Amino acid sequence: RRGAGDAVDTSVDGTKSAVAHPAMRAGWPSGFEDLLRVRSGFVASYDARTRNPRWVLERITAESCDGVGTRKKSRFAEDDEVDGAHAAKLSDYRGSGYDRGHLAAAAGHKNTQRAMDDTFSLINVSPQVGDGFNRDYWARLEHFTRILATKTKAGGDVLVATGPLFLPTKVSASERRAREFRESMYVRGDGGDKKGGKTRDVSTALVDVSSSAKARPPADWEMRYPLIGDAPELVHVPTHFFKVVLVLPAGDRDGERLDANDKNKDARAVAAAAFVLPNAPIPPETPLETFIVPLAKLEAASGLTFFRQGALGGEAREAFEASERLYFESRSGGEASETAARVTSRSRSKSRAEHVCQAAACVLPAGFAAKQTRGG
């Protein structure tokens, strides 16, 4: 605990006092998480460890979905603001079997060719399964967000936060025993070579080997996912992807920071919803509502918060979570469903934030599929 004589951090975010700390006098570990990329239609944060975007936040409007931009003139490009050792590379994707999947969809940024080109930067790309996902179900979800901005009465501009997730897998006791048996079949040398080799270089030092894995106590959960590229500069393949959709009030003034707690502004409701989809083929008939999750649960899994600084802060967050609970209750059926529907109907006109699926039908456009080539 801090003693009476300890210095108190009076800076806004602690940065000033941290830099003055004697442990920091020779420098400190740094990454790229706080370096934001600002592009024509989106802002992105980069995760140098996984070589994926941490998140991409885009603004979709009727105007951004229509224009001269065409993907025929666009080419995927590496991000030149990240040094080579930490950047995803085009070569990582070649022959990997994974698509270079957009997080901010190209079709939502057609207003200029530059806006279209920006979406092809690897700062906006993660490895995605192609057939059944990137070129199919995921593309239909992207189309759904554009419909919210262009063809519904749900509201005005649409803000969409998209990012990768790396979710754990439950390990069964039988699976753990089988793995231990397989590992016992190998005799490893100092270098982790199955043939008993002694050579140890930088690459093997940075790759986990079974001898070290066996020394760790077993746990009920594990993180499992493929990686592409060359170790140690590997691109992690997400297990899942999230989209958080925020529909702004119709007529919201462009460029004005939206704060739902500002009593001087009108209380027109914003609408929001959180979706989490597996990075895997999804049967086309699967209802979109299958992938709707409570926003707070997504925040816990991702380590992020969404729109709390503005449109979903304070009272608006409370209103949204109440609307969200009613939405999930209405899906459960029975008396709770009927009660939730009545309460929702009475409260919608007073609410400052509601669930998207209460403001518009959460149904994917039928028969829509993106026509893309592998890696597109």
Side-chain angles (χ1 to χ4, degrees):
R1 291 183 293 178
R2 179 181 289 126
D6 291 347
V8 177
D9 179 12
T10 58
S11 65
V12 174
D13 59 4
T15 302
K16 183 177 180 181
S17 62
V19 173
H21 194 285
M24 305 277 275
R25 68 184 186 275
W28 55 88
S30 61
F32 297 89
E33 291 77 9
D34 297 326
L35 182 59
L36 300 182
R37 306 296 193 279
V38 180
R39 299 295 185 259
S40 300
F42 64 88
V43 177
S45 174
Y46 182 68
D47 182 354
R49 187 184 72 85
T50 66
R51 292 167 180 79
N52 277 257
R54 181 150 169 70
W55 51 261
V56 174
L57 178 62
E58 61 181 318
R59 173 177 177 253
I60 303 175
T61 68
E63 293 75 21
S64 72
C65 294
D66 185 26
V68 299
T70 171
R71 62 186 300 136
K72 293 180 180 179
K73 297 181 180 179
S74 299
R75 297 291 182 272
F76 284 100
E78 297 174 5
D79 179 18
D80 57 9
E81 294 182 51
V82 179
D83 67 79
H86 298 97
K89 302 176 180 63
L90 294 172
S91 59
D92 295 330
Y93 286 84
R94 294 191 188 109
S96 69
Y98 288 93
D99 281 6
R100 294 164 292 193
H102 287 72
L103 299 193
H109 302 278
K110 293 181 177 180
N111 46 317
T112 68
Q113 187 59 45
R114 177 182 176 183
M116 171 70 69
D117 292 344
D118 283 346
T119 67
F120 283 79
S121 167
L122 292 191
I123 193 64
N124 181 48
V125 166
S126 286
Q128 291 186 335
V129 170
D131 293 337
F133 187 68
N134 178 45
R135 308 174 208 168
D136 299 290
Y137 205 95
W138 182 255
R140 293 167 64 199
L141 176 58
E142 293 171 332
H143 192 193
F144 172 76
T145 64
R146 297 193 294 276
I147 289 175
L148 289 176
T150 60
K151 297 181 180 179
T152 73
K153 297 179 180 180
D157 296 352
V158 175
L159 304 180
V160 184
T162 306
L165 287 172
F166 300 89
L167 300 183
T169 299
K170 186 77 170 178
V171 181
S172 67
S174 59
E175 185 178 7
R176 188 180 299 115
R177 287 193 296 270
R179 185 180 308 161
E180 291 172 353
F181 175 78
R182 289 194 300 270
E183 295 299 340
S184 70
M185 297 294 99
Y186 298 115
V187 178
R188 293 179 176 267
D190 294 339
D193 188 339
K194 293 179 182 179
K195 296 181 180 180
K198 300 294 184 180
T199 303
R200 187 175 183 85
D201 58 20
V202 173
S203 295
T204 57
L206 293 174
V207 175
D208 196 19
V209 294
S210 294
S211 57
S212 61
K214 287 173 65 177
R216 291 189 288 267
D220 292 335
W221 296 90
E222 287 187 351
M223 193 70 75
R224 302 178 190 171
Y225 53 83
L227 301 98
I228 59 176
D230 296 316
E233 300 171 17
L234 293 165
V235 178
H236 298 217
V237 178
T239 63
H240 295 71
F241 288 93
F242 69 80
K243 275 191 184 291
V244 178
V245 179
L246 181 72
V247 184
L248 301 183
D252 179 62
R253 286 174 287 179
D254 186 27
E256 184 178 9
R257 185 175 179 83
L258 185 61
D259 184 351
N261 297 310
D262 189 340
K263 304 300 183 182
N264 296 321
K265 294 183 180 180
D266 69 38
R268 290 172 299 173
V270 298
F275 304 88
V276 171
L277 285 71
N279 187 12
I282 299 175
E285 68 277 7
T286 307
L288 177 58
E289 289 185 311
T290 304
F291 304 109
I292 297 174
V293 300
L295 183 57
K297 295 293 187 182
L298 171 58
E299 290 179 331
S302 65
L304 300 168
T305 60
F306 298 96
F307 305 113
R308 285 182 180 266
Q309 310 93 328
L312 289 182
E315 293 179 2
R317 179 67 181 226
E318 294 176 5
F320 169 73
E321 290 181 345
S323 175
E324 187 180 54
R325 285 193 298 273
L326 292 173
Y327 163 71
F328 283 111
E329 288 174 7
S330 70
R331 287 176 50 185
S332 65
E335 292 186 12
S337 172
E338 296 177 5
T339 302
R342 289 195 297 270
V343 173
T344 299
S345 178
R346 291 196 303 268
S347 63
R348 280 184 61 183
S349 60
K350 301 178 181 179
S351 175
R352 306 185 75 164
E354 61 183 336
H355 198 276
V356 162
C357 296
Q358 293 178 334
C362 283
V363 179
L364 290 182
F368 177 83
K371 301 300 182 182
Q372 303 180 48
T373 58
R374 178 174 292 276

